[in-house]
Amino acid sequence: MAGKNKPKTDREAGGPNPQSVNETFQAEKLGTAFDELVGADPSFRKALVTAQRAAKSDISVLIIGESGTGKEILARAIHQTSNRRDKPLVDVNCAAIPDSLIESELFGYEKGAFTGARTGGRHGYFDEAHDGTILLDEIGDSSLSVQAKLLRVLESGVFKRVGGTKNIKVNVRVISSTNQDLAGLIEQKKFRDDLFFRLNAFTIQLPPLRERRDDIELLIDYFLKLNGVALKQKYRFSPAAFNMLCAYHWPGNVRELKGVVSYAVNMTQSPVIDTGSLPNFLFSGQTVQERLTAPAPLSGQTSYNLTHAVRDLERKLISEVLAAAPNKSEAIKILGISRRTFYLKLKEYGLD
């Protein structure tokens, strides 16, 4: 019979084998721009390979993930892999800029646009990113007014400066990131669906560290080597200390792990880091399962709300590092965060 030996398509055979798909992502080689993103977990590896493929075009990319999962690092890797690598990458933290200022920060302003404006006006982030890439970090925290203005420049490629009437044409590649559920915000009428569709032409989901626990050992080794190179010494964790790090639930994800490793290296008096060099909160923290099964707190007791818990842990870690570090510059290095983020956290937690 004709066609008797015709090979079946994936659809006829029941679809592609998930295992073979995962093996494809595991086998694909990543460029050096992705070296800071350490992990062998299949879902994490798939996110990195997807990002590398997306980098080859100018398509908009939306990176979704909890705080500390590496969204900013991934955005930088995408830019460095793209054809725009020799042009600027401008990072805009939408959550850190007051709503009253974000429009002038994004688009700039003309002379005399408002009280306190520079005499000659100023360019905005979109001007700076011309022919390059703009990262709209924490886009889910932007107001509806700003979202409307962003939509216009993304659709038309033009914008007006605050106080200006002239259309300014700009050519930028847009990468956005968020730790929020944008679909949920759309249902609550807090995020524009048309902007969402514009931003998520290519969506990449970064899994939290608690969902890729097998990568914790790889990450610890990576961060120890970074610290060892800086201090010209080889470090390792004792079995007890290592087990504590592996058992912890890491609400701050990879960023928190990096900060803890740096803290331990700076606190230890020996190449072998024991439990005495770990921050105190690791000893009192509950596991995720304990938090989920714990009875509801009574009025006046500590809340088990995850957002509040993360803030409490972050505040404790920053306080401990400030107490141990000789100065703020060293504290920034230990925590593994940017200077801007550090000072924003100090103000947020009243530690400045």
Side-chain angles (χ1 to χ4, degrees):
M1 180 191 295
K4 180 179 180 180
N5 297 319
K6 181 181 178 181
K8 293 183 179 180
T9 65
D10 282 340
R11 182 179 297 276
E12 292 170 335
N17 186 331
Q19 183 176 351
S20 64
V21 172
N22 285 334
E23 289 173 352
T24 299
F25 284 114
Q26 291 285 4
E28 187 165 332
K29 184 176 176 60
L30 292 168
T32 57
F34 292 83
D35 285 351
E36 289 184 65
L37 294 149
V38 177
D41 175 82
S43 60
F44 182 70
R45 183 77 183 184
K46 180 179 179 180
L48 301 190
V49 172
T50 301
Q52 181 169 259
R53 294 176 183 178
K56 298 174 182 177
S57 71
D58 275 344
I59 195 170
S60 296
V61 175
L62 173 62
I63 305 172
I64 301 174
E66 295 179 6
S67 294
T69 50
K71 299 189 295 295
E72 184 178 347
I73 298 173
L74 182 59
R76 187 166 64 244
I78 293 172
H79 172 73
Q80 291 172 349
T81 309
S82 73
N83 294 328
R84 298 173 182 256
R85 67 179 68 90
D86 296 325
K87 301 297 182 179
L89 168 64
V90 178
D91 179 4
V92 183
N93 190 331
C94 298
I97 304 173
D99 190 54
S100 58
L101 296 178
I102 196 167
E103 186 177 352
S104 62
E105 293 291 317
L106 287 173
F107 308 120
Y109 56 80
E110 299 291 351
K111 174 181 177 182
F114 51 84
T115 303
R118 291 182 185 176
T119 304
R122 61 159 287 183
H123 288 177
Y125 290 129
F126 271 93
D127 285 294
E128 295 175 14
H130 182 59
D131 287 336
T133 305
I134 190 165
L135 169 60
L136 302 174
D137 194 16
E138 302 305 347
I139 186 66
D141 293 293
S142 59
S143 69
L144 289 170
S145 173
V146 170
Q147 291 172 33
K149 296 180 186 301
L150 281 173
L151 180 64
R152 181 174 185 271
V153 69
L154 294 182
E155 288 182 336
S156 65
V158 300
F159 65 90
K160 290 185 176 71
R161 295 198 177 101
V162 176
T165 57
K166 178 183 176 182
N167 279 333
I168 299 170
K169 189 168 183 61
V170 69
N171 174 22
V172 297
R173 198 260 180 92
V174 177
I175 302 176
S176 52
S177 69
T178 184
N179 62 6
Q180 298 201 44
D181 175 16
L182 293 187
L185 292 179
I186 290 172
E187 289 183 3
Q188 299 171 38
K189 307 298 183 183
K190 293 181 179 179
F191 200 86
R192 295 180 62 112
D193 55 357
D194 46 5
L195 178 60
F196 173 74
F197 297 135
R198 197 75 182 172
L199 295 174
N200 81 331
F202 219 112
T203 301
I204 300 170
Q205 182 94 35
L206 282 177
L209 188 54
R210 64 180 175 275
E211 293 180 6
R212 55 184 188 105
R213 287 187 172 273
D214 289 345
D215 284 344
I216 291 177
E217 183 175 2
L218 293 174
L219 287 161
I220 290 173
D221 288 344
Y222 176 72
F223 294 139
L224 282 176
K225 288 176 183 176
L226 287 181
N227 283 279
V229 169
L231 299 175
K232 297 183 179 179
Q233 191 166 356
K234 187 174 182 179
Y235 293 96
R236 65 182 177 86
F237 282 98
S238 69
F242 178 77
N243 288 338
M244 284 197 68
L245 296 181
C246 290
Y248 184 60
H249 55 282
W250 300 110
N253 292 294
V254 178
R255 182 190 295 135
E256 185 182 20
L257 175 59
K258 181 181 180 181
V260 168
V261 172
S262 296
Y263 175 92
V265 167
N266 281 271
M267 293 297 289
T268 187
Q269 299 296 312
S270 165
V272 180
I273 303 169
D274 59 23
T275 56
S277 297
L278 298 177
N280 291 335
F281 69 81
L282 288 175
F283 296 87
S284 58
Q286 293 176 296
T287 65
V288 172
Q289 186 61 33
E290 287 171 337
R291 286 184 179 273
L292 291 175
T293 59
L298 300 175
S299 177
Q301 291 184 331
T302 303
S303 169
Y304 289 99
N305 177 275
L306 183 58
T307 301
H308 296 164
V310 171
R311 285 172 55 84
D312 288 343
L313 288 168
E314 193 171 57
R315 185 188 295 108
K316 287 179 183 178
L317 179 59
I318 294 174
S319 297
E320 290 179 12
V321 172
L322 282 172
N327 52 57
K328 289 183 177 178
S329 293
E330 187 62 28
I332 291 170
K333 293 179 182 178
I334 294 172
L335 290 166
I337 59 178
S338 69
R339 181 171 294 273
R340 181 178 65 178
T341 300
F342 175 75
Y343 282 102
L344 285 171
K345 295 296 182 183
L346 292 188
K347 184 175 181 181
E348 179 181 355
Y349 297 137
L351 299 173
D352 51 353

